Amino acid sequence: MTEFIPQGTRFHALPSPFPMKRGGELRNARMAYETWGTLTPARDNAVLILTGLSPNAHAAKNAANAEPGWWEDMVGPGKPIDTDRWFVICTNSLGSCKGSTGPASLNPDTNERYGLAFPELAVEDGANAAYEVVKGLGIDSLACVIGNSMGGMVALAYLLLHPNSARAHINISGSARALPFSIAIRSLQREAIRLDPKWNHGDYDDDVYPEAGMRMARKLGVITYRSALEWDGRFGRVRLESDDRDDDEPFGLEFQVESYLEGHARRFVRSFDPNCYLYLSRSMDWFDLAEYGDGNVDAGLGRITVERALAIGVETDILFPLQQQEQVAEGLRAAGAQAEFLPLPSPQGHDAFLVDIARFGPAVSEFLARL
Amino acid sequence: MTEFIPQGTRFHALPSPFPMKRGGELRNARMAYETWGTLTPARDNAVLILTGLSPNAHAAKNAANAEPGWWEDMVGPGKPIDTDRWFVICTNSLGSCKGSTGPASLNPDTNERYGLAFPELAVEDGANAAYEVVKGLGIDSLACVIGNSMGGMVALAYLLLHPNSARAHINISGSARALPFSIAIRSLQREAIRLDPKWNHGDYDDDVYPEAGMRMARKLGVITYRSALEWDGRFGRVRLESDDRDDDEPFGLEFQVESYLEGHARRFVRSFDPNCYLYLSRSMDWFDLAEYGDGNVDAGLGRITVERALAIGVETDILFPLQQQEQVAEGLRAAGAQAEFLPLPSPQGHDAFLVDIARFGPAVSEFLARL
């Protein structure tokens, strides 16, 4: 799986053993991360970025890796997350296959890949692991923790489990708990992988690999990451050129939107480990801050202490709908934070933060400028 | 497949050969239908119901079959579609497996099931076949044609291809063309079936049957037929009782919403023919009234002549979004109809017309009362 790790990625060894929330522990585990900018002598200008399910730690180009990153237009000198001012850290999620320890890593007990022997993964484990990276960099208090999508869940867990670990928080298209529509979507994605005979209960290799299941899971993901509105304008009912169609394939691709999904799936299926996908996906379903609030999610949010917060959401997001970011903002405000809720009219749905930089850039940069 | 045909279903033999829009023809084909109420001597009180993808012709109980139908609360004496006043006809779709000729029927050329030898199916073929049933009952002009979901497409094709065949129209959660989000969803459902090795290019039987593919397709359907809002209230994050869980199954069912999807899938997979599903699904993607309007969908709607029309949609419908019913109403109004658009705040999404009778019932009954 080494090919999944971007050049120049750095590693932080987690305490060993590293206990996991739902039982079990990891030994000799590590977190992958990258940094941008310079930490001040007072160590007070650090910003942590926590990612969605699939990104690696390479958010933007830096000294170690000149390739553009997955948030290139947001992170860099003079950009919304301005690395002339901030020391920016981005971690690869615990449980991922892009440098951090996960189900695709070698199990030190057996010297074989963990597969399903990896302990159950919770969002909180990811938060604790990211906290260790920050601590390892000598930072007691982050200026801001930014979390996108799943990373928005991880950020809330980070703030709750580690009081006073950050002074500000930006929650982007995240939520304080998983709701049934998104659980249903993720459950179906996992089922697509599990039903693929080549998944083989997690015991596959590059030759016998659950490609069909991963393809379905990814296509369903892309459908729910975007919005009908965007696709109406982008694809309409445009058909593929006849050269791009296989007319001998019954019910084969005919419309541009089908080919777009196919392209996304092809790029993804061999670049993300299926077991890692299953573990991270399930961790989101389990996440519920109500566990920390006697069954009440607002009470859970009420246990988070942070000075300032911004929760940004998008009207066309069907996976983490706007009400969930509003709930985060209101919950943190009730807990004493100066918290804002910013709904954006981006047409791009859940993924808007990756592409609608014209809207997300100013929102993030203005918030950070006021810190 | 006889078990899919409700007791008491009637049949109408289609003209043989029956030409198909995209080429080819059917021989000895038939349509399944049921009726309720009494046709007036003037034959002027007939209402035709055109269904969504999967229903049979048994919309409600009648003299031939006392079992409740799929629209039981809408059709009957004193009900919104009042069979004391109207002579109601419901057809099973051409291409379905519930009595009308489709890919699961015997091909008279081979005496084996058609499978993929069935000619390509268009929404317009379904409209022409339903028209033959109505004509066969001696009815020149329907009082109203009602179409739900896919049936809303079939109804528009019916009206366009057969001028003056109906005086009024109710379009329920339908559309004048397929848009890319719904095409993407349906394409993925078809891919789930096609990727199942047991589909075997359409050549399966009851022993070797693409159950896994049908399960995935149905679950994805149910997810998009409902809404996040409804499921928040209905399932929340409630977990299954431990007796209902298989803890030895990795990533197995844990939340009520997952078990709900599983139940829907189990009931569906063996009760609808996979090839019929593929054909009907694809016919919806192809549907576009712009074909009849020099590439402009409003111009296509403009070719329909009907006196009165009502297009009903639901705010939470992500598959046939509200704007599509608005487009139908505006297009028919521009063409001279007295047409209304009625957006309903039902939380149940695309399927609301099946369950939210409290809202749909009065809307339909008031429109019909004014005819």
Side-chain angles (χ1 to χ4, degrees):
Chain A
M1 299 286 161
T2 45
E3 70 269 36
F4 296 162
I5 306 176
Q7 173 198 343
T9 297
R10 295 163 67 186
F11 300 97
H12 176 80
L14 289 173
S16 184
F18 180 81
M20 302 286 275
K21 183 194 179 209
R22 296 174 62 94
E25 58 190 31
L26 299 176
R27 289 194 303 109
N28 307 340
R30 70 181 189 184
M31 286 288 280
Y33 70 99
E34 296 193 23
T35 69
W36 298 258
T38 308
L39 191 60
T40 55
R43 298 178 179 273
D44 62 358
N45 70 329
V47 169
L48 172 65
I49 298 171
L50 297 163
T51 78
L53 188 153
S54 59
N56 57 31
H58 190 58
K61 62 173 176 277
N62 53 16
N65 183 349
E67 290 284 314
W70 57 266
W71 225 11
E72 188 64 38
D73 293 334
M74 282 292 276
V75 180
K79 293 183 180 171
I81 303 172
D82 187 351
T83 55
D84 286 339
R85 176 177 176 197
W86 304 109
F87 175 66
V88 178
I89 310 154
C90 180
T91 52
N92 176 236
S93 305
L94 185 70
S96 175
C97 54
K98 298 187 175 176
S100 295
T101 297
S105 307
L106 290 185
N107 178 349
D109 291 340
T110 62
N111 221 29
E112 296 183 353
R113 289 187 199 291
Y114 276 105
L116 301 197
F118 198 78
E120 289 186 342
L121 178 73
V123 162
E124 287 88 338
D125 300 319
N128 289 334
Y131 177 76
E132 292 294 337
V133 175
V134 173
K135 202 169 65 171
L137 290 165
I139 297 158
D140 290 331
S141 170
L142 291 163
C144 188
V145 53
I146 301 175
N148 305 328
S149 184
M150 182 184 85
M153 293 174 160
V154 181
L156 292 173
Y158 188 108
L159 292 164
L160 190 145
L161 298 172
H162 304 283
N164 305 313
S165 59
R167 301 187 293 282
H169 168 46
I170 304 178
N171 197 294
I172 294 181
S173 302
S175 79
R177 70 188 325 185
L179 287 177
F181 184 80
S182 60
I183 291 174
I185 295 279
R186 285 191 292 263
S187 175
L188 195 53
Q189 292 175 303
R190 294 193 298 270
E191 185 166 355
I193 296 170
R194 291 162 51 216
L195 283 177
D196 187 331
K198 294 180 181 172
W199 177 60
N200 190 27
H201 275 69
D203 189 13
Y204 47 83
D205 59 31
D206 284 347
D207 295 325
V208 181
Y209 184 93
E211 197 156 326
M214 283 293 278
R215 169 196 309 268
M216 289 288 303
R218 179 60 171 174
K219 287 189 176 183
L220 181 51
V222 173
I223 287 173
T224 55
Y225 297 158
R226 295 295 182 138
S227 86
L229 181 67
E230 182 203 8
W231 285 3
D232 290 350
R234 186 165 171 184
F235 303 115
R237 292 184 47 83
V238 177
R239 284 174 159 83
L240 295 173
E241 302 286 336
S242 59
D243 288 357
D244 295 329
R245 291 170 56 171
D246 179 357
D247 290 331
D248 295 333
E249 177 63 32
F251 307 100
L253 307 186
E254 173 168 344
F255 292 94
Q256 269 195 358
V257 67
E258 295 180 281
S259 155
Y260 165 83
L261 289 178
E262 183 67 20
H264 265 281
R266 278 200 192 143
R267 288 191 295 278
F268 188 75
V269 289
R270 291 280 179 171
S271 70
F272 205 89
D273 178 73
N275 288 333
C276 292
Y277 194 90
L278 293 170
Y279 272 82
L280 287 164
S281 164
R282 185 64 137 173
S283 79
M284 280 191 266
D285 290 4
W286 280 329
F287 186 62
D288 184 6
L289 278 191
E291 283 180 28
Y292 305 91
D294 279 332
N296 181 297
V297 67
D298 298 316
L301 281 164
R303 289 188 48 193
I304 292 175
T305 51
V306 68
E307 293 166 24
R308 302 177 74 113
L310 171 65
I312 312 179
V314 160
E315 288 169 7
T316 50
D317 188 343
I318 57 173
L319 206 57
F320 285 69
L322 213 50
Q323 300 90 305
Q324 297 207 282
Q325 294 88 50
E326 187 171 22
Q327 180 177 54
V328 167
E330 288 182 357
L332 295 178
R333 193 182 305 130
Q338 194 176 329
E340 301 156 62
F341 166 55
L342 180 63
L344 294 176
S346 306
Q348 293 97 342
H350 183 64
D351 264 1
F353 67 87
L354 293 173
V355 287
D356 190 2
I357 304 300
R359 288 195 175 86
F360 276 87
V364 167
S365 99
E366 284 162 25
F367 179 82
L368 291 176
R370 280 180 277 136
L371 296 185
Chain B
M1 300 285 159
T2 45
E3 69 270 36
F4 296 160
I5 306 174
Q7 173 199 342
T9 298
R10 294 163 67 185
F11 300 98
H12 176 81
L14 290 174
S16 185
F18 180 81
M20 301 288 273
K21 182 193 179 210
R22 296 175 61 94
E25 58 189 32
L26 298 177
R27 291 196 300 111
N28 307 340
R30 69 180 190 184
M31 287 287 280
Y33 71 99
E34 295 194 22
T35 68
W36 298 258
T38 307
L39 190 60
T40 55
R43 298 175 180 272
D44 61 359
N45 69 329
V47 170
L48 172 65
I49 298 172
L50 297 163
T51 77
L53 189 153
S54 59
N56 56 31
H58 190 59
K61 62 172 177 278
N62 52 16
N65 183 350
E67 290 285 312
W70 58 266
W71 224 11
E72 187 64 39
D73 292 335
M74 283 292 275
V75 180
K79 292 184 180 169
I81 303 173
D82 186 350
T83 55
D84 286 338
R85 176 176 177 198
W86 305 110
F87 175 67
V88 179
I89 310 154
C90 180
T91 51
N92 176 234
S93 305
L94 185 70
S96 175
C97 54
K98 298 186 174 176
S100 295
T101 296
S105 305
L106 290 184
N107 178 348
D109 292 341
T110 63
N111 222 26
E112 295 182 354
R113 289 188 199 290
Y114 277 104
L116 302 197
F118 198 78
E120 289 186 342
L121 179 73
V123 162
E124 288 87 338
D125 301 319
N128 289 335
Y131 177 76
E132 292 294 337
V133 175
V134 173
K135 202 169 66 171
L137 290 166
I139 297 160
D140 290 329
S141 170
L142 291 163
C144 188
V145 52
I146 301 175
N148 305 327
S149 184
M150 181 185 86
M153 294 174 160
V154 180
L156 292 173
Y158 189 107
L159 292 165
L160 191 145
L161 298 172
H162 303 284
N164 305 314
S165 60
R167 300 186 295 282
H169 168 45
I170 304 178
N171 197 294
I172 294 181
S173 302
S175 79
R177 70 189 324 186
L179 287 176
F181 184 81
S182 61
I183 290 175
I185 295 278
R186 284 190 292 262
S187 175
L188 195 54
Q189 292 175 303
R190 293 193 298 269
E191 185 166 356
I193 296 170
R194 290 162 51 218
L195 283 176
D196 188 330
K198 294 181 180 171
W199 177 60
N200 190 29
H201 275 68
D203 189 12
Y204 48 82
D205 59 30
D206 285 346
D207 295 325
V208 181
Y209 184 93
E211 197 156 327
M214 283 293 279
R215 170 197 308 269
M216 289 288 302
R218 180 59 172 176
K219 287 190 176 183
L220 181 51
V222 173
I223 287 174
T224 55
Y225 297 157
R226 294 294 182 139
S227 88
L229 181 67
E230 183 203 6
W231 286 4
D232 290 351
R234 185 164 171 185
F235 303 115
R237 292 183 47 81
V238 176
R239 285 173 159 83
L240 296 173
E241 302 288 335
S242 59
D243 288 356
D244 294 330
R245 290 169 57 172
D246 178 358
D247 290 330
D248 294 333
E249 177 62 32
F251 308 100
L253 307 185
E254 174 168 344
F255 292 94
Q256 270 195 358
V257 67
E258 295 178 280
S259 153
Y260 166 83
L261 288 178
E262 182 67 20
H264 265 280
R266 278 200 194 144
R267 286 191 296 277
F268 189 75
V269 289
R270 291 278 180 173
S271 70
F272 205 88
D273 177 72
N275 289 333
C276 293
Y277 193 91
L278 293 170
Y279 272 82
L280 288 164
S281 165
R282 186 63 137 175
S283 78
M284 280 191 265
D285 290 4
W286 281 328
F287 186 62
D288 184 6
L289 277 192
E291 284 179 28
Y292 304 91
D294 279 332
N296 181 297
V297 67
D298 296 317
L301 281 164
R303 291 189 47 194
I304 292 175
T305 51
V306 68
E307 292 167 24
R308 303 178 73 114
L310 171 65
I312 312 179
V314 161
E315 288 170 7
T316 50
D317 188 343
I318 58 174
L319 206 57
F320 285 70
L322 213 51
Q323 301 91 303
Q324 298 207 280
Q325 294 88 49
E326 188 171 21
Q327 181 176 53
V328 167
E330 288 182 358
L332 295 179
R333 192 181 307 130
Q338 192 176 331
E340 301 156 61
F341 166 54
L342 180 63
L344 294 178
S346 306
Q348 293 97 340
H350 184 64
D351 264 1
F353 67 86
L354 293 173
V355 287
D356 191 1
I357 304 300
R359 287 193 176 88
F360 277 87
V364 168
S365 98
E366 283 162 26
F367 179 83
L368 291 177
R370 280 182 276 135
L371 296 184

